[in-house]
Amino acid sequence: MTKMACVLEPPLRMSVLSEVTASSRHYVDRLFDPDPQKVLQGVVDMKNAVIGNNKQKANLIVLGAVPRLLYLLQQETSSTELKTECAVVLGSLSMGTENNVKSLLDCHIIPALLQGLLSADIRFIEACLRCLRTIFTSPVTPVELLYTDATVIPHLMLLLSRSLYSQEYICQIFAHCCKAPDHQTILFNHGVVQNIAHLLTSMSYKVRMQALKCFSVLAFDNPQVSMTLVNVLVDGELLPQIFVKMLQRDKPIEMQLTAAKCLTYMCRAGSIRTDDTCIVLKTLPCLVRMCNKERLLEERVEGAETLAYLIEPDVELQRIASITDHLISMLADYFKYPSSVSAITDIKRHRGTGQTFTGPEEAEPRGTGDESQCTAASITLPLSQMTSYTQHCSLLTAEEKLDHDLKHAHELRQAAFKLYASLGANDEDIRKKIIEAEHMMDRIVNGLSESSVKVRLAAVRCLHSLSRSVQQLRTSFQDHAVWKPLMKVLQNAPDDILVVASSTLCNLLLEFSPSKEPILESGAVELLCSLTLSENPALRVNGIWALMNMAFQADQKIKSDILRGLSTEQLFRLLSDSDVNVLMKTLGLLRNLLSTRPHIDQIMSTHGKQIMQAVTFILEGEHNIEVKEQTLCILANIADGTTAKDLIMTNDDILQKIKYYVGHSNLKLQLAAMFCIANLTWNEEEGSQERQDKLREIGIVEILHKLSQSTDPNLCDKAKTALQQYFA
């Protein structure tokens, strides 16, 4: 007994495993019978045993059924019927858990099934395709496995003509395995457009749907495919016309949504104009319909996200969408589903005690409750979908039905925030309507602290879109102190959220924003300086951009804090950044720091040598006109200082560069250099005579005479004003 006690736990585990698998072992044993007919019957019995039984599937996998089934499937001596039944059982096993699929992949099932496609027997081919479809649509399967062998895609194209099932399964495989631009290119180059276009008019609804889904993933963000699709003819009709027919209200919702995606992606890729009637009068209204509260939660999510993508770059589409079917107020319903664990627990607890519960109030920082909240269980479905939904829900417990609806809460919020962001991207009136929607600012503030990263990102994007409004920065943003949760988001977030959040902060730091002062007091300088150290160029740009806005018309203390927090080394590292946007914003920061004479003189007295070196370096480098113009404007600011201008006058190299650029062929550079000369020659300032004489010596006056005859009135006036300083 003592000896057994030392090894008690392992034998117990083995005993449990034995009990679990003992009833399944005879199925596997029969696969090794020498009689082929008994093997076949064993496979058929196994097929019947595993249908809808995940426990049985797991047992058979543990007992080693998969390697034996794959062996039988690949044996030349196996009958076609046996091979087909093996493929059917493998397909059933793959419909179990993700762990089942991993086990099948570990046994190299995909190469075996692909080999099976070379058979002449259509039933065996269909069984292999069905199993491949199930495996490739699993999230654990690497889609690259479809593209490993270059002969697979062409062979699948050939099989499209064999049967309706082959068409359905192959299109489904293509749709799920087309995840990246290189996948689109491979499929396109193998003629997928021509091979599946005619399937859109198939007698089989499933074939039509899978072909449609295939086109949607092919067209996404792909101008080459989209430009081809727009000219494809099917039975005398252009493909876009076929897609439009599929948008009709009498078509299944799945078809309407997918057709709308195809047209949306083609429009965004540039093959269909944004003012085309198929977009304005068909696609956009269809997607707005999908946002209606009568639609299923999944459909509302997909409709809102697709609509957001469609209208994102086009202000006219944004205006049309904003006045279609009360869309802005319709989206308020997307927030009426509890998204926190505690809220869900409360609902379940109240349901269990028979109490009436109308849903939790959202956290209202300003104390204004949301009386229109309701539970996700109160969803109303259209009559056409009620039967199927009721049948589905009748199989679930009350809690499972609640969970089914509640799981979409985050997706609904994310979709609504995305669509609000697109709607408010350009038009001030639309932004005003959005912010005036039911507790909108409170919803955004709550969204910034939600547990879902995707919801937080969408909420920040929405806030960024609305922050482009001068009026809202001065009113709603200040009333709700949105800078507080925004600063919290910036403390610890993934890069994709940081990029959008820091862009929003740039707007909140504009000179007319009331949020600027409290943001400064909250330690924003240190945070923004840390962003400039990021390896992500977008974060470096936003960090320096926000500092640039912060420095605009700022007092000496703020400017000193920026220079101290950034450090001279980092500032000049940014001035040599390979990203031109970083360089431009750094020059903009330097220009804002070097404004007002006392500040210019103070900064140049401590950093003058390094700044002059940086200016020289940039003016001598291979930079674009905008970079050099900004650099010359910095020189003009330095020339406006009282003592700082001496750093220019004692630097012959810089003086020669000013002379070069004032005579440059580019007007922008000439004008920027002219500002330098004007500030240096202004005769009301001490030492002006000496500066004028030195500029005369290097030939500036001669150039000014020539420019006073310029055909550009602005340049001409500036040259004449500078010359007047010599004769005043």
Side-chain angles (χ1 to χ4, degrees), residues 442-587:
D442 293 325
R443 297 189 191 286
I444 295 174
V445 168
N446 292 340
L448 295 176
S449 58
E450 284 216 21
S451 58
S452 166
V453 173
K454 290 183 178 179
V455 175
R456 291 207 306 275
L457 176 57
V460 173
R461 280 184 174 151
C462 183
L463 190 65
H464 179 242
S465 179
L466 299 176
S467 73
R468 294 173 180 146
S469 165
V470 174
Q471 181 185 355
Q472 301 309 328
L473 282 175
R474 287 174 169 164
T475 55
S476 300
F477 276 53
Q478 182 65 8
D479 293 342
H480 292 77
V482 295
W483 65 269
K484 290 182 180 178
L486 185 65
M487 287 295 289
K488 190 175 180 181
V489 168
L490 283 161
Q491 299 300 325
N492 183 24
D495 272 13
D496 51 356
I497 292 182
L498 277 178
V499 168
V500 188
S502 54
S503 287
T504 310
L505 192 63
C506 287
N507 291 344
L508 267 63
L509 284 167
L510 289 167
E511 181 254 342
F512 49 75
S513 169
S515 302
K516 181 174 182 176
E517 188 173 337
I519 290 172
L520 287 171
E521 292 171 355
S522 70
V525 172
E526 184 180 350
L527 171 67
L528 295 172
C529 288
S530 69
L531 290 181
T532 69
L533 298 168
S534 172
E535 293 183 4
N536 185 330
L539 285 177
R540 293 202 303 278
V541 168
N542 288 347
I544 205 72
W545 195 338
L547 289 170
M548 181 186 80
N549 288 351
M550 189 184 288
F552 181 72
Q553 294 186 354
D555 58 37
Q556 182 64 49
K557 180 185 181 304
I558 292 172
K559 291 181 178 181
S560 297
D561 288 346
I562 292 172
L563 281 170
R564 192 180 306 111
L566 202 55
S567 82
T568 308
E569 293 76 15
Q570 177 60 6
L571 178 64
F572 296 111
R573 196 177 297 120
L574 292 166
L575 285 171
S576 58
D577 200 289
S578 58
D579 189 299
V580 69
N581 293 316
V582 174
L583 174 56
M584 280 295 287
K585 296 307 173 192
T586 307
L587 290 169

Side-chain angles (χ1 to χ4, degrees), residues 671-682:
L671 285 169
M674 187 66 76
F675 277 113
C676 297
I677 294 169
N679 285 343
L680 291 172
T681 57
W682 199 252

